[in-house]
Amino acid sequence: RQSKRALPRTAPPPSSSPSPDLPDSAGKMGGGNAQKSAMKRLRNAEKLKNAAGGASQLKENAKAQNIKCHVCFSLFLCTATEAKLKEHSDNKHPAKDFYECFPHLKQ
């Protein structure tokens, strides 16, 4: 008669429950290209939402245009140099003085 030996115990298999941030179908087996594409879209959407607020800079750029020509009401970025503004007044309004276009620069 053979002696009964205790078999070594093994660890239980890892749980197959999906992680909480993935949809229900992500933890299931299978998944063709459609599932892979859906998961990639989901991950990319999360990245875009987290990266830089996901907003464009158009609103910020519009706020930065705070130099205005008082003749034609053209807007210029706050970083515009006086040379660029002078170029505008010379090209667009040759009959006008530079300080008529940009009176706030007259100091």
Side-chain angles (χ1 to χ4, degrees):
R1 206 170 151 174
Q2 291 182 333
S3 67
K4 292 186 177 180
R5 288 176 155 181
L7 296 175
R9 291 188 173 220
T10 59
S15 73
S16 63
S17 64
S19 65
D21 60 336
L22 298 177
D24 293 337
S25 63
K28 297 178 183 169
M29 292 298 290
N33 289 337
Q35 184 177 3
K36 290 176 189 175
S37 299
M39 291 304 300
K40 188 73 172 176
R41 262 186 251 112
L42 182 72
R43 284 190 202 111
N44 286 338
E46 287 295 319
K47 283 182 191 177
L48 288 176
K49 189 174 16 171
N50 293 336
S56 82
Q57 261 186 316
L58 293 177
K59 290 179 183 176
E60 296 298 320
N61 289 347
K63 288 179 191 175
Q65 290 185 336
N66 56 4
I67 299 175
K68 180 169 53 170
C69 173
H70 284 266
V71 177
C72 65
F73 301 104
S74 294
L75 294 173
F76 297 91
L77 286 175
C78 62
T79 58
T81 61
E82 194 169 330
K84 285 285 186 186
L85 300 176
K86 178 96 173 106
E87 180 182 328
H88 167 79
S89 69
D90 291 343
N91 291 337
K92 298 288 183 177
H93 317 294
K96 303 278 185 181
D97 183 36
F98 173 72
Y99 296 108
E100 287 180 60
C101 293
F102 305 103
H104 66 283
L105 296 176
K106 190 179 196 179
Q107 291 183 17

